[in-house]
Amino acid sequence: MITETKRLILREYNFEDFDTLYEILSDKETMEHYPKPYDEKAVRGWIQWNIENYDKYGFGLWAVVLKETGKMIGDCGITIQNIDGDLLPEIGYRIHKNYWRNGFGSEAARAVRDWAFENTEYDRLYSYMKYTNVASYSTASAIGMKKVKEYHDEINRVLYVYAITREDWKALKG
Ligand SMILES: CC(C)(COP(=O)(O)OP(=O)(O)OC[C@H]1O[C@@H](n2cnc3c(N)ncnc32)[C@H](O)[C@@H]1OP(=O)(O)O)[C@@H](O)C(=O)NCCC(=O)NCCS
């Protein structure tokens, strides 16, 4: 286990997570703000990429598991993303649509934010998303991030960049 919250456990992925992850990442509605839903090959690549990241960085996207049932309901974690030309630590999240709007996304992201400030030297954590992804930027604000930038690319047209500094995080934690 990497970390836990009142309702959730975050743990590393393994290939047994394939079926649940495929259900999430191949779903059209869930992937509305991505270029396209993932096929089986892309989902296997996603798990492999994260397993490699655990080795390379000591973090990646982790499986989000509901304590009550032991079922995996999504993922949340940190990856290094190219955000407008800079390689930055990014908190990412996806929750199975059957569980949306129950506070699970922000509960997981808050735990990842705390883990990152406690276990890495980063002074700023980011989340970025397509400008249409209201659920994503609402989740970023729910964990104390503020919009710091907008930029353009060909695929997403406009992207929003949210961030929280270590200083603001400390103030938030009191
Ligand atoms: C983004 C996502 C993980 C949020 O998960 P969730 O468990 O529904 O989030 P929460 O219930 O914790 O909600 C967090 C905040 O977002 C708001 N929110 C969630 N979904 C929303 C929606 N569709 N429209 C508007 N606001 C929304 C909530 O009201 C809450 O705001 P509040 O703190 O002001 O009340 C989920 O919508 C998802 O998996 N989306 C598809 C994948 C994706 O696009 N991921 C982000 C990639 S950049």
Side-chain angles (χ1 to χ4, degrees):
M1 184 177 76
I2 302 295
T3 188
E4 65 179 322
T5 67
K6 203 164 155 236
R7 297 180 295 171
L8 305 169
I9 285 173
L10 273 68
R11 59 147 177 84
E12 290 188 348
Y13 271 140
N14 57 67
F15 278 95
E16 280 165 29
D17 297 317
F18 177 85
D19 289 348
T20 313
L21 198 58
Y22 180 73
E23 231 180 83
I24 299 170
L25 297 180
S26 68
D27 177 64
K28 244 174 103 183
E29 191 189 2
T30 305
M31 300 301 276
E32 186 189 344
H33 307 284
Y34 288 72
K36 60 176 193 246
Y38 281 25
D39 61 14
E40 292 192 5
K41 189 167 169 244
V43 174
R44 267 192 296 275
W46 181 268
I47 297 176
Q48 185 64 40
W49 170 58
N50 282 295
I51 290 173
E52 283 166 19
N53 283 341
Y54 304 151
D55 246 11
K56 189 167 168 191
Y57 300 107
F59 54 74
L61 295 168
W62 298 304
V64 174
V65 176
L66 197 55
K67 280 183 180 171
E68 200 185 342
T69 59
K71 202 175 149 41
M72 174 189 159
I73 60 160
D75 73 8
C76 186
I78 312 148
T79 58
I80 301 298
Q81 294 286 331
N82 182 337
I83 303 180
D84 199 20
D86 295 316
L87 293 178
L88 299 171
E90 204 250 343
I91 299 182
Y93 26 75
R94 279 143 295 274
I95 296 291
H96 191 296
K97 67 178 176 187
N98 292 352
Y99 296 87
W100 282 351
R101 307 208 75 162
N102 285 291
F104 292 126
S106 46
E107 191 168 319
R110 208 170 282 122
V112 167
R113 174 202 69 190
D114 291 352
W115 185 95
F117 281 129
E118 284 160 7
N119 293 282
T120 74
E121 299 290 310
Y122 296 123
D123 279 322
R124 221 174 186 205
L125 300 170
Y126 296 81
S127 281
Y128 76 139
M129 66 291 295
K130 188 171 176 172
Y131 71 108
T132 47
N133 199 340
V134 185
S136 181
Y137 63 70
S138 302
T139 302
S141 352
I143 67 159
M145 290 185 166
K146 294 190 174 68
K147 189 155 117 186
V148 293
K149 190 175 191 179
E150 282 186 31
Y151 70 100
H152 295 251
D153 77 9
E154 273 184 20
I155 298 171
N156 298 290
R157 295 211 349 209
V158 179
L159 289 116
Y160 289 171
V161 184
Y162 277 69
I164 182 167
T165 61
R166 185 176 285 277
E167 223 176 29
D168 285 350
W169 170 71
K170 276 187 191 152
L172 206 71
K173 298 293 273 185

